[in-house]
Amino acid sequence: MKYIEYTVNPQIPRALKPLEELAHNLWLSWNHDALTLFTRLDFDAWMQSQQNPVRMLGMVAQERFEKLAEDDSYLAALNAVVDKFRKYKAGKDTWYRGSKKNTIAYFSMEYGLDVSLPIYSGGLGVLSGDHLKSASDLGLPLVGVGLLYQQGYFQQYLNADGFQQESYPENDWYNMPVRKVTDADGNEVKISVQLSESRVVARVWEVKVGRISLYLLDANLDENSEANRAITATLYGGDREMRIKQEILLGIGGLRALRAMDINPAVTHMNEGHSAFLGIERIREYMQLHGLNRHEAIQAIWPTNIFTTHTPVPAGNERFGIDLMHKYFHAITDGTGFSWDEFIALGRENPEDVQEPFCMTVLAIRLSAYNNGVSELHGAVSRDMWKQIWPELPVSEVPITHITNGVHTRSFLSPELKDLLDRYFGPRFYDEPTYIDIWDRMNRVSDEELWRIHEMRKNQLVTFTRDRLKRQLTRRGASQSQVVHADEVLSPYTFTISFARRFATYKRATLLFRDPDRLRRLLTNPDRPVQIIFAGKAHPHDIPGKNLIKDIVHFASDPEIRSKIVFLENYDLEIAKYLVSGSDIWLNTPRRPMEASGTSGMKAAINGVLNTSILDGWWAEGYDPECGYAIGAGEEYEDEEMQDEIESKLLYDLLEREIIPTYYERGRDGLPRGWISKMKASMADLGGQFSTSRMLTEYSERFYLPALKNYEKVNKNELAQARQLNEYIQRLHHEWKNVSVFKIEGGGGRSLKVGDSFSVECHVHLGKIDPAEVTVQVYTGRIDAEGELEDPQTVDMKVAGQDEEGHIFKVKVRCRHAGRQGFAVRVLPSNPDLVHPFVPGLVRWHL
């Protein structure tokens, strides 16, 4: 039956009206005094609404509203929060104070902003949410773009045997912190995108995130077919065809949605490759609106595109089969003039390999001037992974850099610790999020106060865990005695390890279980006991990951240790906040180098929870013996079984000989001074360094601000720069076969000393290319044991003449180091409008 729809809103007294605005802005999620307004309003309704402020307002009794509308204490607290909110939104003293005429559009498949908006699955989504929060804090002209999932990611529960099951509850968007976007006439803003044989229509919803907005596309509309309505049903659900439909809607539809709202996406940032089709849409726009051809349009968008990769293994990058790409080829490329071969080459590492599938990561890289991994180690891994796109370059020069991830500090600090640090750090801690040196003030905080807050948070973690476990057991149909026993699990006085992350096999959740007897001894030690909390989801199709969860549950069912190990179902932001603030150790055991970054350990670190981790991802940069523990020394193994055996023993040794004794070593005052010293060092050293405030200033200074300037340059003089740059690149491609380096003289066979210089001269044949259009370089450095140059430097050569064989280039090279040295000579493009000179196919080395 088709119903006539209408909407009912709560009748909130005028004095309390600001609650509605606060409920619809996720600024609330990182301001505890604002959250307190809702818990004071009606705590039971707050919990029943699953901490959803919009839904909660509709559950509060009218009598309660009327009563608090006359409560001067509540009204004073409300007015104080509203004043703080208004001052924040005004944003007069933000870090970014430039023009907001043009917008940075940030695209991501998922956003983990708050437990009230379940459109995220894990670390990628939480990073995206933190990115938006810090962009708001810094005052950047940035908007987010994503999809509005009717079911979001799956809800996890375990059956009686401990095997993961999934459920997909529907989201009620009319009772969540989102609102439909309408035009000046009150009509819903809608866009459409062509798919293979149909068009999908999507409306746009807005999420307010402090000063900025996140726009989400929703295809669950009556005008769409059932198949197309399902495009925004589930995050990471469905088959490969559903995934390509989602990515067409996200990339192409997302740009069209911004245009429909009169937002100019001058710069686009692709967070992972899911949205990479936006590059094709931007090409189409430049062709249709400005009369460029597709090659000129590529040069127009290239210096304003940014791509961040998060996946350190080839299999984790999005690839589509050739048949599927054939099916959607016209939908993606119509209006651009791309031939099939041209288009498919954009998504292949080797364009000549007709068997290679189409990779979204490769498409994003080829269309972006700025590419980065998410930690220093991941940057190196990414350069090695994608080196075939630039086969002529040494791996170290592959133009993929890194910006290490961070966390939004005020979102993940416990409320108690936030209050403490506000008191000791002063107002700049809130007002100036980019002032990361403020963490040096940790030495002002007394050991006693810090430990008291840690004990409080640990107590809250134990209480929360017991309550969650009782609900899990009741739902599973456990016996009454098992449910009652849940009140006895864990102890606030016992050393607590937490392991909470996605249950992929490479994360090795059960590394501690390789020696069950040794683990039992740790858990049951009467003088220095240990307890462990696990949480995390396996992908619905990941049977090995699900089996890891089942193994943990089975091991924990032993009566001797069942009070010592708990698995919490349905890991989400609420559970995460308890774990990262109430544990003693945050355990992370990936196989190096398969952890791109990881951010959960950063959240733990800012709360004084010490990291114990493999030296992978961010911990390879963050580790210091004063502020945490390392499992191994960053070794990598060919034999995974050997690796697991060695590193599990290292972990046991670390726990038995260092970590647990340090925790339980107490002074006469009962305080673990050595442990507290590490807590304070961890917070001081890591708190600012691994914040999204630091991360966003890096993105801004290295990518966003240069890209915005590039946009202004590109769009001057009827896009003359793009036309000229394209003409230059096309000419180089045509002539490059004629470029050669020969007759190299100098350097070879000589014995020199550090500080000496030697001359290098060579002839370069350039065909019809002008010498000013290229750079000829000496590429020199120490030769390592494998015959490769170590820590190379480049020295630009200068034209010294010309003869019938070509142009003569010369330079003097200074010897920087002792040892066996070597050099080569190469030719690269040189043009002031190139962000970097490493254009695939345009490098020529001497033979």
Side-chain angles (χ1 to χ4, degrees):
M1 181 182 293
K2 179 69 175 176
Y3 296 100
I4 299 172
E5 294 186 11
Y6 59 94
T7 303
V8 178
N9 295 311
Q11 188 174 338
I12 300 174
R14 184 187 183 104
L16 303 182
K17 268 292 184 183
L19 286 172
E20 211 162 24
E21 183 182 4
L22 291 173
H24 281 88
N25 194 311
L26 291 180
W27 175 85
L28 185 83
S29 67
W30 71 90
N31 285 272
H32 186 252
D33 50 354
L35 286 172
T36 301
L37 292 173
F38 289 85
T39 57
R40 281 183 66 182
L41 180 62
D42 189 329
F43 183 78
D44 290 338
W46 176 252
M47 297 309 294
Q48 289 169 19
S49 71
Q50 297 178 312
Q51 301 175 45
N52 178 342
V54 176
R55 184 180 173 203
M56 180 218 168
L57 289 178
M59 298 168 65
V60 176
Q62 195 63 36
E63 293 79 8
R64 182 61 177 164
F65 279 129
E66 300 296 343
K67 182 178 180 180
L68 286 186
E70 298 180 358
D71 184 324
D72 58 348
S73 170
Y74 188 83
L75 292 177
L78 174 59
N79 290 335
V81 168
V82 170
D83 287 347
K84 185 178 179 181
F85 179 55
R86 299 270 188 266
K87 180 182 177 184
Y88 179 87
K89 285 192 70 179
K92 293 180 180 178
D93 298 314
T94 59
W95 176 84
Y96 176 81
R97 300 184 186 182
S99 169
K100 296 193 176 182
K101 178 179 65 173
N102 296 314
T103 300
I104 304 155
Y106 178 87
F107 285 71
S108 184
M109 199 73 161
E110 52 173 303
Y111 291 89
L113 286 155
D114 187 59
V115 69
S116 64
L117 193 65
I119 55 169
Y120 62 94
S121 72
L124 176 70
V126 175
L127 184 279
S128 301
D130 283 6
H131 196 107
L132 297 193
K133 291 175 183 179
S134 279
S136 169
D137 288 343
L138 271 61
L140 290 172
L142 182 144
V143 298
V145 181
L147 301 180
L148 188 85
Y149 302 102
Q150 191 61 40
Q151 297 172 335
Y153 200 51
F154 71 89
Q155 301 284 300
Q156 177 199 52
Y157 65 96
L158 305 184
N159 65 20
D161 191 40
F163 195 75
Q164 174 181 293
Q165 306 287 296
E166 297 86 32
S167 65
Y168 296 87
E170 298 279 324
N171 289 317
D172 177 8
W173 299 116
Y174 294 89
N175 278 307
M176 288 184 173
V178 298
R179 282 179 168 149
K180 284 187 283 188
V181 178
T182 56
D183 61 21
D185 298 321
N187 301 311
E188 292 181 355
V189 171
K190 294 181 180 179
I191 56 92
S192 65
V193 175
Q194 182 68 38
L195 297 177
S196 175
E197 296 174 355
S198 63
R199 287 189 82 76
V200 60
V201 178
R203 63 185 161 201
V204 186
W205 297 72
E206 181 182 21
V207 182
K208 293 285 189 182
V209 186
R211 301 180 178 109
I212 68 173
S213 293
L214 164 64
Y215 296 103
L216 302 170
L217 274 64
D218 172 19
N220 187 23
L221 303 177
D222 290 341
E223 51 258 64
N224 289 327
S225 66
E226 285 297 321
N228 285 346
R229 291 181 69 170
I231 292 173
T232 55
T234 307
L235 173 61
Y236 302 140
D239 56 15
R240 301 304 299 156
E241 185 155 13
M242 179 58 72
R243 181 64 68 85
I244 198 171
K245 288 180 179 180
Q246 288 183 326
E247 297 186 359
I248 290 171
L249 181 59
L250 175 62
I252 296 176
L255 270 177
R256 292 180 182 178
L258 295 178
R259 294 292 184 198
M261 295 180 289
D262 293 323
I263 296 170
N264 178 33
V267 170
T268 51
H269 182 177
M270 295 166 272
N271 192 43
E272 264 301 0
H274 306 117
S275 60
F277 291 135
L278 70 80
I280 306 300
E281 177 68 7
R282 295 194 78 192
I283 290 168
R284 180 167 27 238
E285 286 184 344
Y286 271 104
M287 294 177 68
Q288 293 177 349
L289 298 176
H290 302 287
L292 301 185
N293 65 43
R294 61 186 177 280
H295 303 295
E296 293 168 339
I298 289 174
Q299 299 309 322
I301 70 164
W302 182 76
T304 62
N305 272 355
I306 298 152
F307 171 61
T308 299
T309 176
H310 293 259
T311 312
V313 289
N317 289 271
E318 192 80 271
R319 286 179 167 84
F320 294 114
I322 300 305
D323 289 346
L324 201 57
M325 294 308 300
H326 263 298
K327 184 174 181 179
Y328 288 90
F329 165 61
H330 289 294
I332 297 167
T333 64
D334 273 358
T336 64
F338 277 110
S339 69
W340 164 256
D341 288 339
E342 283 179 312
F343 171 67
I344 207 71
L346 289 173
R348 283 176 169 159
E349 293 177 74
N350 178 6
E352 306 302 319
D353 182 359
V354 296
Q355 301 301 316
E356 184 180 336
F358 188 93
C359 180
M360 297 294 282
T361 301
V362 175
L363 175 63
I365 289 173
R366 287 191 182 277
L367 295 180
S368 301
Y370 304 97
N371 296 285
N372 72 287
V374 289
S375 69
E376 183 177 8
L377 178 59
H378 182 233
V381 169
S382 298
R383 286 188 289 277
D384 190 60
M385 277 179 62
W386 305 112
K387 61 189 176 186
Q388 291 307 315
I389 298 175
W390 299 271
E392 311 94 339
L393 287 181
V395 173
S396 63
E397 286 193 312
V398 167
I400 301 175
T401 183
H402 79 277
I403 294 178
T404 302
N405 281 344
V407 297
H408 187 255
T409 305
R410 299 194 75 87
S411 288
F412 292 98
L413 273 176
S414 73
E416 299 83 1
L417 194 52
K418 200 183 301 181
D419 289 343
L420 178 72
L421 298 185
D422 279 338
R423 183 152 41 92
Y424 278 100
F425 287 5
R428 296 180 73 182
F429 188 45
Y430 177 83
D431 294 332
E432 299 180 42
T434 57
Y435 180 42
I436 61 177
D437 289 346
I438 205 164
W439 286 90
D440 293 340
R441 298 181 183 182
M442 273 307 301
N443 59 10
R444 301 181 181 183
V445 180
S446 72
D447 288 0
E448 291 81 2
E449 285 183 287
L450 182 59
W451 188 248
R452 186 165 62 247
I453 284 175
H454 183 65
E455 287 183 314
M456 187 187 308
R457 291 303 304 177
K458 195 168 177 181
N459 212 349
Q460 291 172 2
L461 170 61
V462 170
T463 301
F464 172 81
T465 302
R466 288 172 176 174
D467 180 64
R468 276 290 184 117
L469 184 58
K470 280 194 290 186
R471 283 189 273 160
Q472 289 176 198
L473 292 170
T474 300
R475 187 203 46 74
R476 274 187 231 165
S479 67
Q480 184 62 27
S481 63
Q482 288 176 304
V483 175
V484 169
H485 176 74
D487 277 326
E488 301 173 7
V489 302
L490 307 183
S491 164
Y493 309 108
T494 295
F495 177 73
T496 304
I497 301 170
S498 285
F499 181 100
R501 51 197 20 90
R502 185 164 53 90
F503 266 70
T505 52
Y506 79 85
K507 292 180 182 283
R508 300 188 295 179
T510 54
L511 193 66
L512 257 179
F513 291 71
R514 286 187 67 87
D515 190 337
D517 293 335
R518 199 169 177 183
L519 178 56
R520 284 174 193 276
R521 290 195 295 272
L522 285 174
L523 296 170
T524 59
N525 186 312
D527 300 317
R528 294 175 170 179
V530 174
Q531 58 196 16
I532 310 175
I533 304 173
F534 288 92
K537 299 177 179 180
H539 188 277
H541 303 307
D542 183 3
I543 301 303
K546 291 183 176 183
N547 285 332
L548 291 178
I549 295 173
K550 186 175 75 170
D551 290 345
I552 290 170
V553 174
H554 281 204
F555 186 84
S557 65
D558 185 330
E560 184 185 15
I561 58 172
R562 65 178 181 172
S563 298
K564 305 288 189 178
I565 300 182
V566 174
F567 185 93
L568 290 177
E569 296 176 4
N570 205 38
Y571 185 44
D572 62 6
L573 281 171
E574 182 185 15
I575 294 175
K577 288 180 180 180
Y578 278 96
L579 292 177
V580 299
S581 64
S583 307
D584 295 306
I585 280 291
W586 195 259
L587 181 62
N588 190 25
T589 53
R591 283 198 182 92
R592 177 182 162 116
M594 298 179 73
E595 181 93 292
S597 175
T599 55
S600 61
M602 302 174 191
K603 302 176 182 84
I606 62 173
N607 282 284
V609 175
L610 302 186
N611 280 270
T612 298
S613 176
I614 300 293
L615 289 173
D616 198 7
W618 80 281
W619 195 234
E621 298 166 57
Y623 169 66
D624 184 289
E626 297 300 315
C627 62
Y629 300 93
I631 305 168
E635 301 89 349
E636 295 177 20
Y637 299 79
E638 293 289 334
D639 187 329
E640 291 184 354
E641 180 66 23
M642 178 189 293
Q643 180 178 8
D644 292 353
E645 183 65 20
I646 291 171
E647 291 179 342
S648 68
K649 288 180 177 177
L650 288 172
L651 177 54
Y652 288 125
D653 289 345
L654 197 57
L655 287 167
E656 293 167 349
R657 298 175 185 177
E658 291 189 50
I659 297 175
I660 297 172
T662 304
Y663 176 82
Y664 279 107
E665 186 67 37
R666 307 294 166 108
R668 295 180 65 181
D669 56 6
L671 295 178
R673 297 281 181 177
W675 191 266
I676 296 171
S677 175
K678 281 184 170 287
M679 291 173 66
K680 293 170 80 169
S682 174
M683 297 170 74
D685 292 351
L686 307 177
Q689 182 184 357
F690 294 101
S691 69
T692 40
S693 295
R694 185 273 312 156
M695 183 185 86
L696 261 292
T697 56
E698 277 200 61
Y699 271 110
S700 298
E701 290 167 351
R702 296 172 58 187
F703 297 166
Y704 290 165
L705 302 184
L708 285 169
K709 287 183 180 177
N710 293 343
Y711 176 82
E712 295 286 355
K713 288 170 60 180
V714 165
N715 285 273
K716 281 182 179 177
N717 303 322
E718 298 182 340
L719 292 109
Q721 176 182 299
R723 300 177 198 273
Q724 291 164 7
L725 188 57
N726 174 65
E727 187 276 330
Y728 166 75
I729 292 292
Q730 295 300 320
R731 187 158 42 80
L732 256 59
H733 273 297
H734 184 265
E735 285 292 323
W736 207 249
K737 61 183 179 294
N738 298 319
V739 175
S740 60
V741 182
F742 55 100
K743 282 192 176 180
I744 298 175
E745 298 176 0
R750 297 180 59 189
S751 180
L752 300 163
K753 293 181 180 179
V754 173
D756 287 350
S757 295
F758 63 92
S759 295
V760 177
E761 178 180 311
C762 69
H763 280 65
V764 180
H765 183 69
L766 293 173
K768 297 179 181 178
I769 301 172
D770 190 284
E773 296 180 313
V774 297
T775 296
V776 180
Q777 295 178 328
V778 173
Y779 183 82
T780 180
R782 182 187 293 115
I783 299 176
D784 64 19
E786 297 179 356
E788 299 295 329
L789 292 192
E790 185 179 90
D791 188 24
Q793 66 166 330
T794 58
V795 185
D796 290 351
M797 306 183 76
K798 293 183 178 179
V799 179
Q802 184 177 5
D803 59 23
E804 67 278 2
E805 294 183 288
H807 290 87
I808 303 167
F809 286 79
K810 289 183 178 181
V811 75
K812 280 198 170 185
V813 179
R814 189 167 180 269
C815 300
R816 295 185 303 158
H817 305 291
R820 189 170 63 135
Q821 309 283 314
F823 75 89
V825 176
R826 68 181 182 185
V827 185
L828 294 167
S830 177
N831 189 296
D833 294 328
L834 282 174
V835 174
H836 60 73
F838 303 120
V839 179
L842 297 181
V843 182
R844 177 74 74 233
W845 297 82
H846 81 264
L847 298 178

